Amino acid sequence: MIWNFNQFKNKTALISDNGKKLSYSQLSQAMVLINDKLLKRSLIICLCNNTFGSVVGYLSFVNNNHVPILLDFETNYTIIEAQINKWKPAFLWVPKDKKHLFSFSTVLIFEDYCLLKVTENTSCDLHKDLALLLSTSGSTGNTKLVRLSYKNIISNTKSIINYLNIDTTERAITLLPMHYSYGLSILNTHLFAGGSILLTEKSSVTKEFWQLIETYEITSVSGVPFIYNFLNRLDLSKSNLSSVRVFTQAGGKLSPKLQNEFAQKCIVNNRKFFVMYGQTEATARISYLPSENVIEKTGSIGISIPDGRIEIWDENQEIIKQEKQVGELVYFGNNVCMGYANDAEDLLNDDNYKGFLKTGDLGYFDNEGYFYITGRKNRIAKVFGIRVNLDELETMIQSNFQNLEFACIDGEEKIQLFIVRNSQLEALKKFVFDSTKLPQRGLEFIEINHIIRNKSGKIMYDLLKN
């Protein structure tokens, strides 16, 4: 059991965007109702959205020793069918309006969700420590899943509560999808600490979303870099944001300019702003930049979360002890996953990682032990003998063209720079050529209508390449 909701009883746990509330006692009862239909330790594919049914189902499954696979509720049916054939779940937990897509019998209807029985054989070969399965990329087409244990979830949940000081007075809002590890960590932490969560599918770019923040006195807002480009245009002194005490950011690197500007706004308006770094393989969080250091250490991912440790390794797997020397960021902690699952047989595997994670990110630390990411190991392009870190190039461009929508990929023998049609194209070309010193044939500028992103706001580089 991860969550003990009996200690919070009549306190509000969940709120829907139409005003319906669910207390912790009611939440516990609903979880029992769902679990009574499962009986054995089962594997369950869940099509997730930010509603009562989706969240209560997830909590019931994990807390009662079942193993959910979390997928986006908008996943194409063909992909869902492939996932069912691949993982062979005993049940599906799906929105009622998706029920007609499946021929399986309905076992239970709860709120906006229903439980469908896929097979008569409800038992499955699952490792005793396995608690949850998430896609690494947030793309439900990805068949490789991260295997997370009960220890992983509890460890990361407690660490996040510790450094963000989450308690029973906190109220979050679902700005991120729950099948994404960052969005899921908000549910895990606030409910573990006895706080409350407003569940909504409304977009942050709508007036209705910000009205919800005011109406329900939301205390924290969490987002990825794409969202902070929008947040930075808002006036934090306005009354509809008066209840917000904390902003958190993860899911990619903010440009130093954007981080500095938003941090300044938070200081002027007496808000806290935490920049964080993590990976699904670490359950959610690896490091955080304390709010009081967010300007002084602009561009840093901060320090390790409580009970974790970060090191920088060179190409020979030796620890780098010299400040500002770039190597691979390596993490140690109880929140590191058990490994990956490529097929159903892998769900029985032991813990392959044993608290050790090579992140694939390149970075360094400064003289005070704060860490910085410079890019991904697989995001290094070599053009006419010149090595170009594509993440550093994107950060440099973003700092000088803040409202520009663009992405850089390795086009083999040249860098391809995709840009949403914009009047700044000529200025951008000059800036990039001057900055990289690459010959003209080493850069290709491609104008497109929009940058392809997943629901978490991350650029889908593979789709751009294709």
Side-chain angles (χ1 to χ4, degrees):
M1 179 182 289
I2 290 177
W3 299 275
N4 177 16
F5 295 145
N6 293 328
Q7 58 185 314
F8 306 119
K9 296 183 179 177
N10 295 323
K11 193 178 183 310
T12 299
L14 303 174
I15 311 169
S16 68
D17 56 16
N18 63 7
K20 183 175 180 179
K21 296 182 179 181
L22 208 64
S23 70
Y24 276 94
S25 293
Q26 292 170 320
L27 176 57
S28 295
Q29 292 166 12
M31 289 164 61
V32 170
L33 176 70
I34 294 170
N35 183 55
D36 282 347
K37 298 296 181 181
L38 297 172
L39 303 178
K40 298 178 182 178
R41 179 164 162 81
S42 302
L43 183 67
I44 306 157
I45 286 182
C46 306
L47 302 186
C48 302
N49 60 23
N50 291 322
T51 63
F52 274 3
S54 181
V55 172
V56 176
Y58 158 73
L59 295 168
S60 179
F61 302 147
V62 174
N63 232 35
N64 288 293
N65 208 34
H66 305 291
V67 180
I69 300 173
L70 304 190
L71 304 178
D72 184 358
F73 78 103
E74 293 184 333
T75 301
N76 181 278
Y77 174 75
T78 303
I79 296 176
I80 298 172
E81 190 176 38
Q83 298 295 294
I84 293 171
N85 292 333
K86 185 180 185 68
W87 302 108
K88 299 176 175 56
F91 296 92
L92 302 184
W93 184 242
V94 302
K96 286 193 293 186
D97 61 7
K98 299 278 187 182
K99 177 185 170 184
H100 69 280
L101 297 174
F102 307 96
S103 59
F104 309 122
S105 61
T106 302
V107 177
L108 171 73
I109 293 178
F110 173 78
E111 293 285 341
D112 56 322
Y113 264 66
C114 55
L115 185 68
L116 306 181
K117 192 173 186 180
V118 178
T119 174
E120 290 300 318
N121 179 21
T122 57
S123 62
C124 184
D125 290 330
L126 301 168
H127 192 280
K128 63 182 177 60
D129 297 329
L130 183 63
L132 176 65
L133 294 158
L134 295 178
S135 170
T136 54
S137 67
S139 168
T140 54
N142 187 346
T143 55
K144 183 172 74 171
L145 298 176
V146 174
R147 297 183 291 123
L148 297 172
S149 70
Y150 299 101
K151 180 177 72 174
N152 295 158
I153 298 171
I154 292 171
S155 172
N156 209 228
T157 295
K158 288 183 175 180
S159 291
I160 295 170
I161 289 172
N162 182 330
Y163 72 74
L164 289 180
N165 293 312
I166 300 172
D167 59 25
T168 57
T169 68
E170 296 294 335
R171 176 167 293 171
I173 186 169
T174 53
L175 186 52
L176 301 164
M178 67 171 285
H179 63 271
Y180 170 40
S181 62
Y182 182 17
L184 191 64
S185 73
I186 294 164
L187 293 174
N188 291 343
T189 53
H190 282 74
L191 295 176
F192 193 97
S196 55
I197 302 171
L198 177 66
L199 304 177
T200 182
E201 285 286 320
K202 296 186 188 304
S203 168
S204 63
V205 299
T206 63
K207 183 179 179 181
E208 291 80 8
F209 180 88
W210 300 101
Q211 287 175 333
L212 289 172
I213 288 181
E214 179 179 20
T215 301
Y216 294 99
E217 299 181 316
I218 301 304
T219 64
S220 65
V221 172
S222 302
V224 295
F226 179 68
I227 291 171
Y228 272 87
N229 279 305
F230 172 77
L231 282 173
N232 198 39
R233 302 174 204 156
L234 300 179
D235 184 352
L236 299 188
S237 64
K238 285 187 176 179
S239 59
N240 64 346
L241 291 170
S242 61
S243 61
V244 179
R245 304 192 291 249
V246 175
F247 291 91
T248 71
Q249 181 270 319
K253 187 176 181 179
L254 281 181
S255 73
K257 183 178 180 182
L258 178 56
Q259 179 178 326
N260 194 279
E261 286 180 1
F262 192 78
Q264 292 283 4
K265 280 188 175 184
C266 286
I267 290 172
V268 170
N269 291 279
N270 196 28
R271 307 293 205 280
K272 290 186 176 181
F273 178 38
F274 291 86
V275 173
M276 307 181 297
Y277 160 76
Q279 292 186 356
T280 302
E281 289 86 346
T283 313
R285 302 276 70 80
I286 286 174
S287 72
Y288 74 103
L289 181 58
S291 181
E292 59 270 23
N293 299 117
V294 77
I295 290 180
E296 175 195 355
K297 298 292 184 181
T298 295
S300 171
I301 61 166
I303 56 178
S304 174
I305 64 172
D307 300 321
R309 186 173 88 254
I310 299 173
E311 293 177 356
I312 302 294
W313 285 15
D314 64 19
E315 293 180 352
N316 298 317
Q317 318 298 304
E318 298 289 337
I319 299 173
I320 293 175
K321 298 182 179 180
Q322 179 65 40
E323 64 189 61
K324 297 187 178 180
Q325 184 176 331
V326 174
E328 182 175 5
L329 190 146
V330 176
Y331 175 74
F332 301 83
N334 286 327
N335 53 313
V336 173
C337 70
M338 299 172 68
Y340 296 108
N342 291 292
D343 53 45
E345 292 182 0
D346 290 342
L347 303 182
L348 198 55
N349 288 351
D350 287 330
D351 183 353
N352 301 132
Y353 280 30
K354 302 189 185 305
F356 165 71
L357 178 65
K358 296 181 73 174
T359 67
D361 285 322
L362 299 173
Y364 63 90
F365 57 87
D366 67 14
N367 61 343
E368 294 182 295
Y370 282 74
F371 290 87
Y372 295 76
I373 298 292
T374 59
R376 292 286 295 171
K377 286 179 72 175
N378 61 1
R379 290 269 292 156
I380 304 294
K382 195 168 186 179
V383 183
F384 300 113
I386 301 173
R387 286 170 58 89
V388 179
N389 185 316
L390 297 177
D391 292 322
E392 283 186 349
L393 178 58
E394 286 189 350
T395 298
M396 191 165 54
I397 293 171
Q398 195 175 55
S399 296
N400 288 271
F401 298 84
Q402 192 167 332
N403 295 319
L404 192 68
E405 275 279 283
F406 69 95
C408 301
I409 68 170
D410 183 357
E412 298 180 9
E413 297 302 320
K414 63 185 173 184
I415 293 171
Q416 292 180 316
L417 203 157
F418 292 85
I419 174 175
V420 173
R421 288 178 172 80
N422 193 290
S423 60
Q424 301 180 82
L425 179 58
E426 292 307 314
L428 174 66
K429 286 183 177 180
K430 184 178 186 309
F431 174 80
V432 175
F433 282 124
D434 289 347
S435 301
T436 62
K437 307 302 181 186
L438 288 171
Q440 282 201 341
R441 64 185 187 279
L443 282 161
E444 181 182 11
F445 294 82
I446 304 168
E447 289 190 279
I448 55 177
N449 292 323
H450 67 279
I451 298 297
I452 306 170
R453 298 177 183 271
N454 63 20
K455 291 188 82 173
S456 306
K458 291 184 177 181
I459 296 171
M460 301 183 77
Y461 291 103
D462 287 345
L463 291 184
L464 281 175
K465 185 173 289 189
N466 293 331

